[in-house]
Structure formats: C-alpha cells, structure tokens
Amino acid sequence: MAQNIEIKKIGVLGSGVMGSGIAAHMANAGIPVVLLDIVAKEGGRSSLTQKAVERQLAAKPPGFVHKDKAKLVTCGNLEDDLDKLKDCDWIIEAVLEKLEVKQDVYRKIDSVRKAGSVVSSNTSTLPIHELVKGLPDAFAKDFMITHFFNPPRFMRLLEVVKGEKTRADAFTALSRFADVSLGKGIVECKDTPGFIANRIGVYWMTLGLLEAIRLGISVEEADAVMGRPVGIPKTGVFGLFDLIGIDLMPLIAREMMGTLPPDDAFRKRYEEPALVTKMIADGYTGRKGKGGFYRINKDGDKKIKEVINLKTGEYSKQGAKVSLASLDASKAGGLQALFSHSDIGGQYAWAVLSNMLHYAASLVPEIADDITGIDDAMRMGYNWKYGPFEMIDRMGVDWFADKLKAEGRTVPPLLEKARGKKLYQVADGKKQAFTIGGQYKVILPPEGSLMLADIKLTKKPVVKNASASIWDLGDGIACLELTSKMNAVDMEILAMIEQSIGLVKKDFKGLVIGNDGDNFSVGANLGLMLMAANLAAWSQISDMIRRGQSAMMALKYAPFPVVGSLTGMALGGGCEITLHCHAVQGHIESYPGLVEVGVGLIPGWGGCKEMLVRHMGSKSSKGGMLGNLVATGGAMPALSKVFEYIAMAKVAGSAEEARDMKILREGDGISMNRVRVLADAKTKALSMANGYTPLEPAVLHLPGGTARVALSMAVDGFVAAGKASPHDAVVCKQLAYVLSGGDTDMSEEMTEQQILDLEHEAFMQLVKTKPSLDRIEHMLETGKPLRN
C-alpha cells in the first residue's frame, strides 16, 4: 500500500459496542462501511448488525453525527457477505478478545481481501506477535493494531501498534488517514500489555478503588479529590467505574495479569474486593445496570441520587458538596499543597497519584520511547487535563523525587536524570520534552495542524484587552481570540471586534475568529446583564444590545473575509458571531444554537435576522459565501422552522446537524480533527481573500400580522397542553413578533436594521420582566434552564 493511499471503503467485523461504534465513526467521515457479524440466532440472518446500527442511532448522544450517515453502513453476516470485503481498503476486526476467535476471523478475511489492503485489530490486551502467529507473511505485513477508545466518535485517542513485519508505508498511511479523516490523535505504542493508556489508566483506577477502601474515604470525597483538583474529569474514579462498567474492569485486569511481567507493580497491587464481586453478581455494574457506586433511586415522583458505603455496601442519599481542607489548600498551592496535606483527602491523593506517577515514570522506555506519547495517551484516552509527566512538572521533579526518597521508595531512573530540570521546556520558540538520554527533543505538531498555543511560543498579540486578543497567524491572516471565562461575550470582546475591522483592513488580508478552548463561546455574559438589571440600569443593557448589533454588522460587512473557527459550544451570542461570519470552518463536534429563550430572552445581536436571511432568502444578499438562499413554498414554512429552532432553544448535535439548521452553509467546511480546525479556517480565509467583494445589504419580505397570529396560536396550544409555561408564551410571542416583521406585510421591504430594531425592542421588554430575570439568575447559579 503506497503512502498516498485513498481509503474509499472500510470493513468492520464485530458489531458489539466497539465494532458498531467504529463503523458509525467511519460513516461520520463519509466512508462507506461494511459491518459484519456472526449469523443471528433470531430474526434475520444479519439482524445482529442491523440492530447494532439502530442502537448507535438511538444512543444519547448517538454514535452517528447525523442520522443520514447510517445509510453509509451496509449490514451483513460472516457467512453470506464475506465477499463484500473484497473491495475494502481497510478491514478492522473487533470481535471477542479470544485469540483463537480472532485468528479464525483473520483467515476468513485473508481468503477474500484484495492485495495490499490493511487489516487491523481493535484488541485492547492481546499482543500483535500472538495475533499474527502462524498466519502468512503477506498478511502480517499488512496487519497492525488500531485500538480505538469508547465511544469512538468522541474519544480522540487511537493507539497504533505495528508488528515486526508491518510495512512502514502502510503504518504511515493509515496513521495519516486516521488523523485527518477520522480526527484521531495517533500514539504509536510498543507491543506491550495494555499498550499505554489502559496500562496506566487501569492501574490508576485500581489504586483509586483499593486506597479508598484502605483509608476509609467516602466515594464522594474520593471523586472530589481525584477529579478537577488534579486535572481529571469530575467523574473521578468511582464515577468512571460506573460509566465504563464495573464488570469490565476485572475482565481487563485478568487479561493484563496474564501478560504482564512477573515483577510489574500492577500484578503486585491488583485484587478484586469482595464488595465489587458482590456488586457485579447483584447486577450493580454501573450506569448500564441497576446502578454502581452511584445509583438513582425514587422517593415517590422524585429521583434521588444515592451513593454506596464502601465498608457496608449499603446505599444512602448523596450528601452536600464535599468539604475538605486539602481541597481548599490545592486551590492556591496546587498539587504540592494537596499531596502535603494531612487530612484524608491529601492522604488519598498522594497514595493514588504518587504510585501511578511512579509507575508511569518506571515504564519509560518499556511502553513508549518518550514521555510525550504517555502524556498524549492519558489526555486523549482518559480525558485528563495533564498527562503523568505534566503532573510531575507541575509539582516539580525534585520535590516529587525527594518525597518518594523520604518514604524509602525508589526514584525511577528517568526522574533521577531529570533532577534540577523540567520535563518540558520551551527553547528557541519550540516546545521540547526531556528524553531518557538526558537531553531534550523538539515536539513537532502534526503536519497541517495549528493551535494558538503554537503561535504564542514565538509571538506576542498584535493587540489585546481583558477579554480578547488579536494574533498574527501568518500569510496575512489575523485571528481574533476570545479569552474571557468560557469565552462569554462582554463589552471588551465587542470593542475588540470593532477594533479588529480597522486593524485587519490596514495590515491583513482576512480574519479568523477562534480559540484553543473546548468551546467557541457560551454566549453573552449574563452576569453583567443581571447586575445591570438589578440596578435598573436599562440604558446600559440597551447600549450593550446596540453595541453588539453594531459589532456583528461590522463583521458581516467587513471589506475582507471573516471566517469563524468553530469548536464545541457556540451558544447565544457566540452563535450570533458565527452567523455574521462570511464562512465557517467547524469541528465535527461543534454545537451551535440560539438558546436565549432558555433564559427568558430572544437573540438580540442579529441572530433572528440572520436565521431569517438563511431560511427565507433575501432580495440582494450577494457576494462572499452567503449566496441567495431563496425558500420555496411561501414564507411560512421557512419562518416556522426558524421559530421552532429559536423557541425550542435547539442546539445542533454536530456540525452536520448545524448545516441542516443553516447555521453552517453548503460552502462551509467541517474538520474532523480538533487540532486542524484553525489551520483549515486560515486556509479558507486565504482562499477567499483575493478579490473579495463585500456583501450587499440584505432585504427581506416578511408576512407580518398573519404569521404572528398563526405562531401565537401554536404557542397558546402548547400552554394549554401543559407543554409550555405562561412566561414561555410571553417570550415566544415576542419572538413571533420579531420573526414575522412586526407590523409589516409581504408587500413591504424590510432592511436588516429594521429587524435589528425589532430584536432590540423585544429584548428590552423581556429583560425587564421578573420571570426572565429569575431565569437568568437560575442559569447563573445552576447552569440549567428554569421553567417558570
């Protein structure tokens, strides 16, 4: 297989949770997939695979980014449909973790596959040299391990293992395809038990469980410590057990125990507590069972979250927020303060993490030649904010090594060599990692990727304020970065948008709006708005709405291309920014939506206007990439769809769904890999820059009163049926007034400014109502909408 291979069709064998999830994600990339499994005992002969696809569609969230992607999956069985693998370029095995079963499948694959096709296994425990033992050399040369993490759609990590005979060009080509087309972060692993992420992650989870039982710390306390304070998701250890399945961990542990070296620390520490054995036997296997370490119980009509007592095995109502002095200390003093604290939280954190970090440092170079592969694997495979060696850097190599030594424990050779140094450093504008040879090696980002963190290594912002910065991406393209908490849009950001217009016009060719955060923007800063409302500073709120409208219109009619680099959530005002960009390059996992109704308001910065333009079309919306989106069937179908999206506060479940909603347009791009979105957005801006023609003002014809009455009647029906509250009706009728054009009719032309005026008028009326203010306050306090 040449390095420039184009993978046009993929086969997946095994339709369990992982196999069907992998097949769904291949379809997400637009690749036709053949999904095969054994002949079903009941139903149709291929019903196993058919039901697996149905489960992926029904899952919450689904394995498919769009329901239409399921059409790319052809279901079959291993007896009738093996020939369908003949034209597959990549065939993935995801059957039972039994060597004899896998090898039988490989022989079937080899009997029909075309020459040069790649075959890989999704095994999580079996070594590659055992998998290919006794099979033809030609098969071994085309074979490797590609270990996906669950769920394949969302988990970035792909551990790739090549065997002694694996062709280098096949390995390189497949890794590149998985990076660009599947959005995976590739970590090359050695052929060792559990590879990297599970070797360390399962040991960490085992320690988390056993040390909690030994120390007598509660489940809630353990998860509070082993979560965000140490850069690990808030599920901690026990929440993660429940998520992945308590019954799965003993199976993985036993598989690893069968292949680990005799003196491995995991082998010495592992045991299955009697409590876990009983929980599994009683069906308490986590979220998929009756519950796990946490469970949901009912008290009448109310759902109550309960937690297990690790000593007695009894459940009780989950208590109030955990309060530990060690957690308070960690907020200011970091890991050192947490590990040094004498309370049970500090003891637990040190007992678990010191052993895990010692283990990770001792496994270099056994499982990986460098520290970056291990850190990458734990960040992408377990969603840790920091990998093990990044954690050690945060507390200091010397501090950690000295504490180990003071307790009479060995210091791993790598850490002895790194004394007096950092494991990561920046030199000559490049990030470097400490190596087992005692030197530093430059960390090269994947070709074609770009993050602002890379830019910041060598440059300072062109201009910045408290909430935003502008960076030079090179080649004449600037980047506007939102830097406020959760990138919430405030007056500083609006000011920077306005400032960017003159700056980019003078010194650049185009502008990209994006950031390195998990989310593009969660919307307007509601805290500032609530504060102003409590002071009855209505003119201040009015000015904020007008200022936002002015900034959005400045983006839309800028004399250069503006491209939104969309990632994660883009809610409310964040979505309105993207709606006013001339193009969007979105990560596949982008979730935009106009959600203002959830806090008793309506979009006020042109969101209503732009959705109308996109769904109904405009008389003279020319230039750029907006085009002329003329709706068919009259105004009401398009208007009703816009009303539905905004009134229901609908958030797209992916970039593909955002295209259905016309938040993304046909010309907008979708990047599968998060680290490539900014680079692709820059490329798009450059492609639009030469000869760019600014947009002409849009003009709309809206139906006015007739549409408003129809929409209002629908709202009244929802209230009568108990599906909406009286204040929902107040909000939605204001929305209906704006979307229908106020007092206009279809014979009149409406300018964008007239619609903006309606948005402003409706917004100001709503923000002065107590129910809307109560909703804003509730959202700020809980992060959840209030129905009042």
Side-chain angles (χ1 to χ4, degrees):
M1 182 178 71
Q3 189 167 333
N4 62 351
I5 183 175
E6 182 180 1
I7 294 179
K8 297 180 179 179
K9 188 175 181 180
I10 293 172
V12 179
L13 279 63
S15 62
V17 172
M18 286 306 301
S20 61
I22 291 168
H25 193 58
M26 300 299 165
N28 290 340
I31 309 294
V33 184
V34 175
L35 179 61
L36 306 181
D37 209 325
I38 60 174
V39 174
K41 294 179 180 179
E42 298 178 355
R45 289 174 63 82
S46 299
S47 62
L48 281 180
T49 51
Q50 292 164 354
K51 290 178 180 178
V53 170
E54 291 171 3
R55 285 194 298 271
Q56 289 293 333
L57 282 167
K60 296 187 182 300
F64 294 98
V65 296
H66 191 284
K67 63 182 185 299
D68 287 350
K69 295 292 185 181
K71 298 174 183 177
L72 289 169
V73 181
T74 299
C75 296
N77 66 76
L78 288 167
E79 290 185 17
D80 304 328
D81 304 296
L82 200 62
D83 281 354
K84 291 178 180 177
L85 299 177
K86 282 184 176 180
D87 55 349
C88 289
D89 304 294
W90 179 14
I91 302 168
I92 305 166
E93 167 270 305
V95 301
L96 293 174
E97 284 288 279
K98 293 184 177 180
L99 183 61
E100 63 274 15
V101 174
K102 290 181 183 293
Q103 287 206 326
D104 181 59
V105 168
Y106 298 155
R107 292 185 181 95
K108 290 180 179 179
I109 292 171
D110 205 31
S111 70
V112 298
R113 74 184 183 99
K114 65 182 180 181
S117 60
V118 173
V119 182
S120 71
S121 174
N122 185 57
T123 182
S124 59
T125 56
L126 298 174
I128 192 169
H129 64 271
E130 291 289 338
L131 292 173
V132 298
K133 190 175 182 179
L135 293 168
D137 279 359
F139 183 87
K141 289 178 181 179
D142 293 335
F143 186 84
M144 64 189 80
I145 290 172
T146 51
H147 180 217
F148 291 80
F149 278 66
N150 191 38
R153 171 183 168 183
F154 298 102
M155 299 303 291
R156 283 195 63 222
L157 178 61
L158 181 65
E159 292 181 318
V160 186
V161 184
K162 58 185 176 185
E164 292 181 0
K165 298 179 181 179
T166 305
R167 291 185 291 118
D169 61 339
F171 181 85
T172 301
L174 194 62
S175 296
R176 176 72 179 176
F177 173 82
D179 171 358
V180 177
S181 299
L182 301 181
K184 298 302 176 185
I186 310 301
V187 173
E188 182 177 348
C189 304
K190 295 188 177 183
D191 192 19
T192 57
F195 312 129
I196 294 177
N198 281 344
R199 179 75 172 270
I200 295 171
V202 174
Y203 182 62
W204 163 72
M205 293 182 70
T206 299
L207 290 168
L209 171 62
L210 297 180
E211 291 295 345
I213 293 173
R214 181 181 71 83
L215 290 168
I217 192 172
S218 72
V219 166
E220 302 110 306
E221 289 173 330
D223 281 349
V225 171
M226 204 55 58
R228 287 176 175 168
V230 296
I232 288 172
K234 64 180 181 179
T235 49
V237 171
F238 293 99
L240 183 58
F241 268 114
D242 284 358
L243 179 64
I244 65 177
I246 295 170
D247 56 332
L248 182 62
M249 296 308 294
L251 296 176
I252 294 175
R254 283 194 285 270
E255 289 286 349
M256 291 178 64
M257 292 283 280
T259 53
L260 286 169
D263 60 346
D264 191 84
F266 182 91
R267 186 183 291 280
K268 296 175 182 177
R269 287 300 305 269
Y270 180 73
E271 62 178 275
E272 184 178 311
L275 172 65
V276 170
T277 305
K278 185 177 187 305
M279 289 175 70
I280 295 172
D282 293 345
Y284 285 92
T285 55
R287 296 185 188 181
K288 65 182 180 182
K290 299 178 182 178
F293 293 105
Y294 298 92
R295 74 177 185 185
I296 301 297
N297 209 345
K298 284 190 175 181
D299 182 6
D301 294 333
K302 292 183 178 180
K303 290 183 178 180
I304 299 174
K305 190 172 184 179
E306 296 181 335
V307 62
I308 202 167
N309 184 304
L310 295 174
K311 289 183 179 179
T312 66
E314 299 294 324
Y315 286 92
S316 60
K317 184 178 179 181
Q318 186 173 2
K321 184 178 179 181
V322 170
S323 177
L324 289 170
S326 55
L327 294 179
D328 294 334
S330 71
K331 293 175 183 177
L335 291 179
Q336 278 195 25
L338 177 62
F339 291 159
S340 300
H341 206 281
S342 60
D343 77 359
I344 197 166
Q347 294 176 51
Y348 179 69
W350 176 251
V352 175
L353 291 180
S354 68
N355 280 293
M356 180 277 292
L357 296 173
H358 184 283
Y359 189 56
S362 300
L363 289 174
V364 181
E366 179 188 336
I367 64 173
D369 286 330
D370 55 53
I371 65 175
T372 57
I374 292 177
D375 279 348
D376 288 346
M378 298 314 298
R379 284 198 312 272
M380 293 187 291
Y382 278 72
N383 280 333
W384 290 4
K385 186 175 182 180
Y386 310 107
F389 297 99
E390 291 169 317
M391 287 189 194
I392 293 173
D393 250 359
R394 290 177 67 80
M395 73 182 91
V397 174
D398 289 359
W399 187 89
F400 181 59
D402 289 344
K403 190 166 174 61
L404 289 176
K405 197 168 185 178
E407 294 181 352
R409 296 157 70 180
T410 61
V411 177
L414 176 70
L415 299 185
E416 284 288 9
K417 286 184 180 180
R419 279 187 177 275
K421 301 176 182 177
K422 291 183 70 67
L423 295 170
Y424 290 97
Q425 68 174 18
V426 175
D428 301 322
K430 297 178 180 178
K431 191 174 181 181
Q432 300 178 339
F434 191 77
T435 68
I436 55 176
Q439 307 299 318
Y440 285 93
K441 182 179 73 172
V442 173
I443 304 171
L444 296 175
E447 182 183 353
S449 67
L450 178 64
M451 300 291 281
L452 281 176
D454 303 325
I455 300 296
K456 293 174 183 179
L457 293 176
T458 57
K459 296 181 179 179
K460 293 185 180 297
V462 178
V463 63
K464 66 177 293 185
N465 63 25
S467 299
S469 303
I470 293 180
W471 297 88
D472 183 352
L473 296 183
D475 302 312
I477 302 299
C479 179
L480 171 57
E481 176 193 24
L482 311 189
T483 59
S484 59
K485 184 177 181 180
M486 299 187 74
N487 301 326
V489 184
D490 57 18
M491 295 300 281
E492 294 286 333
I493 288 175
L494 297 179
M496 187 60 75
I497 291 175
E498 293 170 339
Q499 186 176 355
S500 71
I501 303 301
L503 179 66
V504 175
K505 181 179 179 181
K506 177 176 176 289
D507 297 327
F508 296 90
K509 299 177 185 176
L511 176 67
V512 169
I513 304 178
N515 60 75
D516 285 355
D518 292 335
N519 299 306
F520 182 84
S521 171
V522 296
N525 188 322
L526 294 176
L528 294 176
M529 191 172 298
L530 182 63
M531 184 184 301
N534 287 335
L535 296 172
W538 308 120
S539 62
Q540 185 177 331
I541 296 176
S542 176
D543 288 345
M544 186 175 183
I545 298 305
R546 288 300 192 192
R547 187 84 176 270
Q549 291 179 347
S550 175
M552 302 306 156
M553 292 293 278
L555 285 177
K556 182 173 181 178
Y557 293 106
F560 48 80
V562 179
V563 178
S565 179
L566 180 59
T567 56
M569 291 188 292
L571 306 178
C575 184
E576 287 174 300
I577 291 176
T578 65
L579 287 170
H580 287 84
C581 293
H582 307 124
V584 171
Q585 185 70 34
H587 182 223
I588 188 68
E589 299 303 338
S590 294
Y591 316 114
L594 296 170
V595 297
E596 288 86 348
V597 167
V599 290
L601 303 171
I602 68 163
W605 288 342
C608 299
K609 166 184 69 69
E610 285 304 306
M611 291 295 279
L612 286 171
V613 168
R614 294 178 185 215
H615 283 264
M616 297 187 66
S618 68
K619 182 177 179 181
S620 57
S621 186
K622 301 175 182 178
M625 297 186 68
L626 286 177
N628 187 16
L629 303 173
V630 179
T632 57
M636 277 308 295
L639 191 96
S640 297
K641 184 59 69 175
V642 175
F643 180 80
E644 175 189 335
Y645 289 151
I646 300 177
M648 299 298 290
K650 180 174 174 58
V651 177
S654 69
E656 292 284 5
E657 287 190 6
R659 201 188 298 282
D660 279 355
M661 296 170 67
K662 297 188 186 295
I663 294 175
L664 265 66
R665 296 143 295 195
E666 287 306 314
D668 291 336
I670 296 176
S671 302
M672 293 296 289
N673 199 319
R674 171 65 181 88
V675 301
R676 296 182 177 277
V677 181
L678 187 61
D680 292 343
K682 176 187 172 183
T683 299
K684 184 175 287 291
L686 281 169
S687 71
M688 297 169 63
N690 291 333
Y692 178 76
T693 303
L695 298 176
E696 294 184 10
V699 176
L700 289 170
H701 291 265
L702 298 174
T706 54
R708 183 167 67 255
V709 170
L711 294 174
S712 296
M713 288 177 63
V715 172
D716 290 337
F718 277 106
V719 173
K723 296 179 179 179
S725 71
H727 192 63
D728 288 331
V730 172
V731 176
C732 289
K733 287 180 180 181
Q734 287 286 355
L735 176 63
Y737 179 76
V738 173
L739 294 179
S740 62
D743 296 325
T744 189
D745 60 48
M746 289 296 290
S747 66
E748 298 181 16
E749 291 186 347
M750 286 203 73
T751 66
E752 291 180 83
Q753 187 56 56
Q754 287 175 307
I755 302 173
L756 289 174
D757 289 342
L758 292 175
E759 287 187 19
H760 176 268
E761 177 188 345
F763 190 100
M764 290 306 300
Q765 288 190 35
L766 290 170
V767 80
K768 294 178 181 179
T769 64
K770 186 178 185 304
S772 288
L773 293 178
D774 288 343
R775 291 188 180 190
I776 295 172
E777 186 171 9
H778 188 267
M779 177 63 74
L780 290 170
E781 289 178 352
T782 68
K784 298 177 182 179
L786 171 69
R787 287 298 177 204
N788 55 346

